Amino acid sequence: MTKIFPMSLRRLPAGTAVVADISGPQGRVLAARVGDDGRAAPFDPSEGSDVTLEMDDVTWLRLTGGRVDPADADVTVTGDEGTAVVVLGRLNVTP
């Protein structure tokens, strides 16, 4: 599911940086920045981001599995709310 994260940033403006801070037993920090070519690649989250999404690992799994509407998910957003809405809406990879 970590490969999904950079793909969720597609079509965002170049330079947009997003961090997902996932807590819990399966927690991790995912960070991606959109390059000039439109593709997102990992970066060091200590460099700062336009938006940070904080959630637990259960919420992450539910979002990526399409089991919860992003508007109903327990996610703390720091930064650009509009970008957060777009990214959260693109995490569902389950057809």
Side-chain angles (χ1 to χ4, degrees), residues 4-42:
I4 303 161
F5 186 64
M7 293 174 20
S8 67
L9 276 60
R10 67 188 177 278
R11 293 190 292 273
L12 289 176
T16 301
V18 181
V19 172
D21 186 355
I22 305 161
S23 61
Q26 308 249 342
R28 60 198 150 291
V29 175
L30 305 173
R33 177 179 289 126
V34 180
D36 291 333
D37 63 356
R39 294 177 168 229

Side-chain angles (χ1 to χ4, degrees), residues 33-87:
R33 177 179 289 126
V34 180
D36 291 333
D37 63 356
R39 294 177 168 229
F43 79 103
D44 183 348
S46 68
E47 295 174 18
S49 65
D50 296 296
V51 64
T52 299
L53 309 170
E54 295 178 64
M55 67 195 89
D56 63 22
D57 52 357
V58 173
T59 301
W60 170 257
L61 291 172
R62 292 180 71 209
L63 282 166
T64 58
R67 301 295 182 215
V68 65
D69 185 295
D72 298 330
D74 185 16
V75 178
T76 301
V77 176
T78 304
D80 186 333
E81 294 276 338
T83 300
V85 168
V86 170
V87 173

